[in-house]
Amino acid sequence: RRFFERSFSPEELIGSYHPDDQQALAKGVRDAITGDGLLVMEVRRTFDDGTLRWVLLQVRLTRAADGSRVWRGFIADTT
């Protein structure tokens, strides 16, 4: 189990997932932003070592005190 915190752009986040899943993930992010803030989906992710794995994303959009978006949640390997 690894816990980490880092900042990244939406393009960086979506770009780390399988090309065939990127459009659906981008739609999920948009829907979470305009809806209830929840994103739950299973997609393929390419890791830094080049391996491709199925992962379950479960994240919720919140707002920081300054109004910026903060995504909190987890990614679980379901391969």
Side-chain angles (χ1 to χ4, degrees), residues 6-71:
R6 82 179 269 265
S7 296
F8 46 82
S9 70
E11 294 80 15
E12 284 179 292
L13 170 68
I14 292 167
S16 68
Y17 289 86
H18 191 280
D20 291 345
D21 297 334
Q22 290 178 6
Q23 187 174 12
L25 181 56
K27 181 182 182 317
V29 168
R30 285 191 306 273
D31 290 349
I33 290 169
T34 60
D36 64 3
L38 183 63
L39 172 63
V40 178
M41 56 188 320
E42 194 168 12
V43 290
R44 293 162 287 183
R45 185 174 192 281
T46 304
F47 286 82
D48 293 338
D49 65 2
T51 60
L52 181 68
R53 299 183 204 143
W54 281 95
V55 295
L56 173 66
L57 303 176
Q58 184 168 339
V59 294
R60 178 162 304 273
L61 175 63
T62 60
R63 294 284 180 174
D66 65 2
S68 62
R69 294 180 183 132
V70 178
W71 294 92

